Amino acid sequence: MWESESDSTARHKYGDGILTSNKHGVKTEGFLQRGHSWYVATDVPSDFLVQIGEANFHLHKYPLISRSGKLSRIIYESREPDVNKIVMDDIPGGFEAFELAAKFCYGIAVDLTAGNISGLRCAAEYLEMTEDLEEGNLIFKTEAFLSYVVLSSWRDSIVVLKSCEKLSPWSENLQIVRRCSESIAWKACANPKGIKWSYTGRTSSKISSPRWNNNDMKDTSPSRNQLVPPDWWFEDVSILRIDHFVRVITAIKVKGMRFELIGAAIMHYATKWLQELVSETSITFDETSNCGNSNSSSSGSGSWIKGGGGLHMIVAGGTRDETSSLQAKEQRMIIESLISIIPPQKDTVSCTFLLRLLRMAIMLKVAPALVTELEKRVGMQFEQATLADLLIPCYNKGETMMYDVDLVMRLLEHFLVQEVTENSSPKRQSFSEKHMGLGCNLNAKARVARLVDSYLTEVSRDRNLSLTKFQVLAEALPESARTCDDGLYRAIDSYLKAHPTLSEHERKRLCRVMDCQKLSIDACMHAAQNERLPLRVVVQVLFAEQVKISTALSNPSLKDVESFTQPMVTNRKTLLEATPQSFQEGWTTAKKDVNTLKFELESVKAKYLELQNDMENLQKQFDKMLKQKHTSAWSSGWKKLSKLTKITNVQNVQNHDHDNSPHSNIPAAPEQNRKTTRRWRNSIS
């Protein structure tokens, strides 16, 4: 709380808030209350009765008509000759405000406070207690107290604005709400130097906030040079009704406060009035299935019950009691008002807050225009979302899906449109700024791609999810957004597990969204043994795996192989860690599948390396045998040629001796010549 230095001075000048009237026609010592009736402590019997609800005021005509134009007109202009009773159930402030006004008419001292000034001011206006009847009448007195005392105090402005909740439309018409809102806005944006502070410690770990109570001001007020926390006004304005809170935030915007602080104040207000936003709701697979199945009989409203993991949402049925209906209406009004006052700048509030607000807006059937506006706001910060926030149940009638996949598709479209708009904006940037912006966009798209892959893995377990919606959501992002398709492969495998009746054509169509070239070695090894994949996809995976392994093994050092495979393993670990354990049923089974997958991949990798070694050994043996066979063939050929050469030389020598002998002139027998010739030919061949 902060209290200006002129507050005490203003109160002193105004007589410490004691309001009196010097002129009165009946001497009295005060009012006496007996049950629901009030009597004037005087010897003169009362001649006028004012009834307000169950309260009865036995008064005198003269003190009232001398200061109230309304009562004077009613009494003198009435058709009845003697009016002794009047009913005033519509007086603002009720019988409490009328009691103070009646005391003022009798000249009894009235203690003006921040709690009763607004009701008394509206009652004075209702009773027409103007200056025309008497100088210094009640309207003038209350207006002066508002202007000089209340509006100069932070605490009093809050209290008066809070008390105006029951005084509509009188407080609006008398500008009390507007003046208090502007006073609060001015003090929230002003330099807090020269302000007295009083703190209450919420917890030891949190920053203490200003306190309204002035009793401990002397003991707990810090020095004026102490740094004031920027969120000191959050707790005080969060007690206001939503329409008055909107008026204060609107006035603060006009004063030029930073939009981050305004967004923080809105989130603080929402966490106080919408407890579902801060509850750790763990909606499991079965719960969302029940929610989805009950949509046909529900009307879109919901309630929250406490469970082991926090507050759990239960969709209300067709029959709702009046209390839940009023509560839903109030929450709907709060959500619509908060959406309308969120500053348009990016990162004003967190993406988690926007998504939880969007979930409640859809559940409570907020106006479609505001829901669309909220979806665009989420699209601006979609890379900051988490998987838990995207698992929004489907509340639409006729839908059998557990999760609202169409909503995520719209959010992704808004994100892509925002990216295109930012890239095509005609802003003059330097070369380095352009490259930094491009890198930021790529990082944002990569984060969104991992988020979408995790979301697809989660929703693929729904048997009512159509192949078309899965394919459209998977192909919504450009190819450059994914550097690794391991997460997409995991989503495809999960979809195939949940939909075993898909035809061959549908399985091919499903696998078409995945690029086998972007799979890591581990994913390729798993896909090569996956019986759920089509044969053509397995062949493509094997080819991609062979290319990657050949590239990795071609590196001379082990470090190169590790550097080649490390990004793949890192991406796989990131994808596995991206899925929170508390937002899916059967996570234990999924974890066992992951461990089994790791074991299978390691065993397949070891077998593959053994086969590579065996193949290399066989290749070496084959080369050795081929070399030996080639050498033996040449040696046997040379041996035959050497024998033939020896035989030819011997025959030539014999023929030469035969020619020189005496019988050389005798012709040889034909058979002998024929036999010699045939032997030569056979040896040559």
Side-chain angles (χ1 to χ4, degrees), residues 269-469:
Y269 185 88
T271 55
K272 187 167 185 176
W273 291 85
L274 303 172
Q275 296 294 332
E276 297 84 355
L277 292 176
V278 294
S279 61
E280 297 180 358
T281 54
S282 56
I283 300 176
T284 59
F285 190 81
D286 291 337
E287 290 173 350
T288 52
S289 177
N290 295 334
C291 291
N293 294 333
S294 64
N295 283 335
S296 59
S297 61
S298 66
S299 59
S301 165
S303 60
W304 298 79
I305 61 173
K306 275 195 174 182
L311 291 176
H312 297 270
M313 182 180 60
I314 305 299
V315 177
T319 60
R320 299 175 301 177
D321 56 2
E322 186 178 357
T323 303
S324 62
S325 178
L326 293 175
Q327 184 179 5
K329 183 178 180 180
E330 180 183 359
Q331 290 185 343
R332 187 186 306 115
M333 182 177 63
I334 292 175
I335 292 174
E336 291 178 348
S337 301
L338 292 180
I339 295 174
S340 62
I341 63 175
I342 296 177
Q345 290 84 357
K346 186 178 180 181
D347 296 330
T348 300
V349 293
S350 64
C351 188
T352 298
F353 172 77
L354 291 174
L355 282 168
R356 293 182 180 181
L357 200 65
L358 179 60
R359 177 198 291 244
M360 290 194 65
I362 296 174
M363 182 184 68
L364 297 175
K365 295 188 179 300
V366 172
L370 293 176
V371 173
T372 303
E373 180 65 25
L374 193 56
E375 291 176 358
K376 292 180 180 179
R377 295 299 307 269
V378 175
M380 294 172 59
Q381 306 170 219
F382 194 56
E383 69 276 6
Q384 304 171 8
T386 60
L387 177 60
D389 299 327
L390 289 182
L391 296 178
I392 300 176
C394 188
Y395 301 108
N396 296 328
K397 293 182 179 180
E399 288 287 348
T400 57
M401 294 186 301
M402 292 175 295
Y403 298 111
D404 198 344
V405 181
D406 296 333
L407 172 62
V408 178
M409 292 173 62
R410 292 195 301 270
L411 297 178
L412 188 57
E413 290 176 359
H414 291 310
F415 168 76
L416 295 175
V417 170
Q418 181 68 23
E419 290 290 319
V420 173
T421 304
E422 290 181 356
N423 294 334
S424 60
S425 59
K427 295 181 180 179
R428 296 183 179 179
Q429 297 177 345
S430 61
F431 181 78
S432 60
E433 290 177 349
K434 288 183 180 180
H435 280 266
M436 288 176 63
L438 182 61
C440 293
N441 291 335
L442 291 177
N443 292 334
K445 288 182 179 179
R447 289 194 294 269
V448 171
R450 289 194 294 268
L451 179 64
V452 171
D453 293 345
S454 300
Y455 181 79
L456 285 173
T457 304
E458 192 68 31
V459 300
S460 61
R461 302 181 180 185
D462 184 7
R463 295 186 178 181
N464 295 322
L465 178 63
S466 63
L467 177 59
T468 302
K469 289 188 177 181

Side-chain angles (χ1 to χ4, degrees), residues 19 31 36-40 48-61 63-65 67-72 74-75 84-110 112 115-129 138 142 167:
L19 181 63
F31 281 17
H36 295 287
S37 300
W38 278 260
Y39 298 89
V40 182
F48 191 69
L49 175 64
V50 178
Q51 184 177 357
I52 302 175
E54 296 180 355
N56 298 317
F57 291 88
H58 300 272
L59 307 174
H60 302 83
K61 291 183 181 179
L64 297 179
I65 63 176
R67 293 170 180 84
S68 173
K70 185 179 183 65
L71 293 177
S72 176
I74 292 175
I75 293 174
N84 297 324
K85 179 181 178 181
I86 185 174
V87 179
M88 301 175 61
D89 292 333
D90 56 343
I91 183 173
F95 69 89
E96 297 93 346
F98 180 79
E99 179 186 0
L100 297 177
K103 287 182 178 180
F104 175 79
C105 293
Y106 279 91
I108 303 173
V110 177
L112 294 181
N116 61 23
I117 187 61
S118 57
L120 188 56
R121 172 67 182 89
C122 295
E125 190 71 23
Y126 175 85
L127 295 173
E128 302 176 9
M129 303 176 71
L138 188 57
T142 53
L167 298 173

Side-chain angles (χ1 to χ4, degrees), residues 449-450 452-454 456-457 460 470-471 473-475 477 482 484-495 510-515 518-519 575:
R450 289 194 294 268
V452 171
D453 293 345
S454 300
L456 285 173
T457 304
S460 61
F470 184 95
Q471 185 178 7
L473 185 57
E475 294 178 344
L477 288 169
R482 293 185 178 92
C484 179
D485 279 7
D486 284 10
L488 199 55
Y489 167 69
R490 184 185 178 194
I492 292 173
D493 186 47
S494 178
Y495 190 87
L510 175 65
C511 296
R512 203 173 293 139
V513 303
M514 175 183 61
D515 187 3
K518 292 184 179 181
L519 295 179
L575 290 169

Side-chain angles (χ1 to χ4, degrees), residues 141-186:
K141 300 274 188 176
T142 53
E143 191 66 31
F145 186 83
L146 276 171
S147 301
Y148 292 102
V149 178
V150 171
L151 297 182
S152 62
S153 169
W154 167 266
R155 171 189 177 276
D156 292 345
S157 299
I158 293 286
V159 173
V160 170
L161 190 57
K162 181 67 177 176
S163 65
C164 289
E165 296 176 358
K166 301 178 181 180
L167 298 173
S168 298
W170 288 90
S171 59
E172 291 283 349
N173 297 334
L174 296 176
Q175 304 296 319
I176 300 177
V177 173
R178 181 189 62 80
R179 288 183 289 173
C180 289
S181 300
E182 292 182 354
S183 174
I184 294 170
W186 180 85

